[in-house]
Amino acid sequence: MSLIRVAVLDDYQGLSKPLFAKLDPSKYEVSYFPDTQLPYNGSNTPDAVKDAIATRLRPFQVISTMRERTPFPEELLRRLPNLKLLLSNGIRNFAIDMKTCNELSIPVTGSSRKTKTETASGGPDSTTQHCVALILALARHIAQDDAAVKSGGGLWQTGVATGLSGKTFGVVGLGRLGMSCAKIMNVAFGMKVIAWSTNLTQDAADEKAREAGLSTEDSNGDKTFKVVSREELFSTADVVSVHLVLSDRSRGLINAQDLSLMKSSSFLVNTSRGPLVVEQDLLDTLKAGRIRGAALDVFNLEPLPEDSPWRNPNWGKDGSSQVLITPHMGYVEEDSITSWYQLQVDNLERWERGEELINVIS
C-alpha cells in the first residue's frame, strides 16, 4: 500500500510536529513547510509564484493548513489533482474556496476555537486578550519605552502614557469578540462604551449587555453599550477597536472619511482583518500623524513583504503617529494551536479509516 502523503503548512512555531510524528510511519509520510509562500494575492500573483505553490503541493493527498495563511483559491485547487482532504485550523477559513472544494469532493475540516481552559473558566479568548494587551501597550507607550531603555545612551523616559479611565471606547462590531473587549474595557478600566455596525440596534446592544452579566445602564442612566452613528463613533471615541467579520460587504469599510473624523489624541486598534480598513488611507493618516497611534495585528498581505511600509522603524518620528505591530498573534496561543493540530491528526486518522469526520466545514 502506498503511503498517504501529508503536507503541513505554515506552522511557524512547529507545534504540529510532535502530534503528526505519532502517526503510523507505515501509512503516512509527513512533510513540513513552515514558510508561507507569498505573495499569493489572487489575480495580482505572478505566474512564477503560482507555479511554485502548485508544484510544492501537487504530490500531497492531505494538506494541513493554518487558518488564512496559504490561500486555496479555485485556480490552485484545480491544479492539485491528488488532494483528497484539507485540514484547517479554526472553525472557518475564508482563504479556502469552499465552493470549488465541494465541486472537487475535497472535504475541509475545521478545529474548535476554544481551549479546555477557556471553556472551563469562562474567561476571555486569546484574541480578546491580545486586543486588550495591544490597547494597553499603545496607551502606555510600552514598546517605545522598552526599545529606548534597551538601546542605551542614557535614555530613560521618552514620552508620556495616555490614561484610559473615563475615556470612550468605540467598538466597530459588537459581536462575540467586540462585546468581550468592550466588557473588559468598561468593567476593568472604567471606559464608556459606544458601538456601531451596519445593522446594530440599541435593543440588540442591550441584550448583549445582559448576556454579559451587565446592566443595560450605568449609575448615571447612560447605556452600558450605547449605539451611536458611524460619524459619532469615529469623532468621539478615544480608542476605536475593529471587530468585524471580513466579507464582500465589509471589505474596505473603514476609509479616509472615517479616519479623518478621529481625534488627534485617539488610537485605532485592529485585531480582526486587515482589509476591513483601506490600507493606503490608514497609512496616509499615520504618516501625517493625524491620530496619536494605531495597534495592528492584521494586514492585507501576511506575512508582510520585506519592503512593506509597515516595516518602518521610524514610526512615531518626524510627525508620524505611533504604530505598534504584531504578526497576527491574536489567536496564536499554545494551548489553542496544539488542540487544533490534535483534532487535525484525529480527523486524518478517521479519514484513513473511512469514518465520519469531525467539524466538516465543506
Side-chain angles (χ1 to χ4, degrees):
M1 183 178 67
S2 60
L3 293 173
I4 297 172
R5 301 193 65 181
V6 181
V8 181
L9 310 183
D10 310 325
D11 177 15
Y12 303 147
Q13 291 82 16
L15 296 174
S16 64
K17 286 189 175 182
L19 301 171
F20 280 88
K22 296 177 182 179
L23 291 168
D24 185 346
S26 69
K27 294 182 179 180
Y28 303 95
E29 178 183 279
V30 183
S31 301
Y32 299 91
F33 302 97
D35 57 317
T36 299
Q37 282 193 291
L38 287 176
Y40 197 113
N41 192 21
S43 60
N44 296 323
T45 308
D47 288 341
V49 175
K50 295 179 182 179
D51 292 342
I53 296 173
T55 299
R56 168 184 278 189
L57 300 181
R58 189 176 295 117
F60 298 97
Q61 290 85 40
V62 180
I63 295 176
S64 159
T65 180
M66 178 59 72
R67 188 184 72 191
E68 294 167 23
R69 290 184 181 171
T70 294
F72 284 86
E74 178 181 3
E75 179 183 1
L76 176 59
L77 289 166
R78 294 194 183 279
R79 296 180 67 178
L80 304 178
N82 297 311
L83 183 59
K84 306 301 180 186
L85 175 65
L86 260 175
L87 303 166
S88 176
N89 282 333
I91 61 170
R92 60 185 172 217
N93 190 334
F94 294 119
I96 298 175
D97 187 326
M98 297 298 180
K99 180 176 180 291
T100 301
C101 286
N102 282 323
E103 291 178 4
L104 299 176
S105 299
I106 302 170
V108 181
T109 65
S111 303
S112 173
R113 66 160 64 96
K114 284 193 175 183
T115 65
K116 293 180 180 179
T117 302
E118 289 171 349
T119 302
S121 69
D125 62 278
S126 177
T127 302
T128 296
Q129 294 177 48
H130 195 72
C131 181
V132 173
L134 287 178
I135 294 169
L136 295 178
L138 188 60
R140 305 302 303 183
H141 217 245
I142 299 295
Q144 294 82 1
D145 285 348
D146 174 76
V149 173
K150 288 178 178 176
S151 68
L155 291 175
W156 190 235
Q157 295 183 358
T158 60
V160 294
T162 299
L164 298 176
S165 298
K167 299 288 180 66
T168 299
F169 183 73
V171 56
V172 180
L174 197 60
R176 181 182 64 87
L177 294 174
M179 186 181 72
S180 179
C181 291
K183 178 181 178 180
I184 291 173
M185 302 314 295
N186 173 252
V187 175
F189 298 99
M191 296 192 77
K192 302 173 184 177
V193 176
I194 58 176
W196 171 84
S197 64
T198 305
N199 298 313
L200 182 64
T201 65
Q202 188 61 61
D203 286 344
D206 289 345
E207 180 58 29
K208 289 178 182 294
R210 286 189 287 267
E211 290 173 354
L214 303 175
S215 170
T216 59
E217 296 182 353
D218 62 21
S219 58
N220 297 320
D222 295 325
K223 289 292 185 180
T224 303
F225 299 152
K226 182 181 178 183
V227 177
V228 298
S229 68
R230 179 173 179 165
E231 292 76 14
E232 183 176 349
L233 184 139
F234 282 96
S235 63
T236 62
D238 297 289
V239 178
V240 174
S241 191
V242 182
H243 299 278
L244 296 172
V245 173
L246 181 62
S247 66
D248 290 340
R249 188 178 67 174
S250 64
R251 185 179 297 273
L253 181 67
I254 298 172
N255 54 37
Q257 182 176 353
D258 302 307
L259 299 172
S260 70
L261 296 173
M262 294 179 66
K263 297 187 290 188
S264 60
S265 59
S266 64
F267 300 112
L268 177 79
V269 181
N270 188 3
T271 54
S272 292
R273 292 292 181 273
L276 293 167
V277 185
V278 178
E279 184 175 56
Q280 192 58 54
D281 291 350
L282 181 56
L283 280 166
D284 291 344
T285 296
L286 297 171
K287 288 176 180 177
R290 298 190 191 112
I291 62 176
R292 180 162 294 178
L296 308 172
D297 187 46
V298 289
F299 304 90
N300 284 17
L301 190 61
E302 300 175 6
L304 286 173
E306 287 296 323
D307 60 352
S308 169
W310 294 115
R311 291 183 181 266
N312 181 356
N314 295 316
W315 285 114
K317 301 176 182 178
D318 300 321
S320 64
S321 304
Q322 296 287 351
V323 176
L324 179 63
I325 286 174
T326 53
H328 206 153
M329 294 296 292
Y331 68 99
V332 184
E333 192 172 75
E334 184 173 4
D335 288 347
S336 298
I337 302 298
T338 300
S339 68
W340 291 355
Y341 278 126
Q342 182 59 64
L343 183 54
Q344 285 197 7
V345 172
D346 293 344
N347 262 328
L348 174 55
E349 293 183 307
R350 293 174 72 90
W351 174 78
E352 188 272 332
R353 295 191 298 262
E355 298 175 1
E356 183 179 358
L357 299 174
I358 301 170
N359 288 354
V360 176
I361 54 179
S362 173

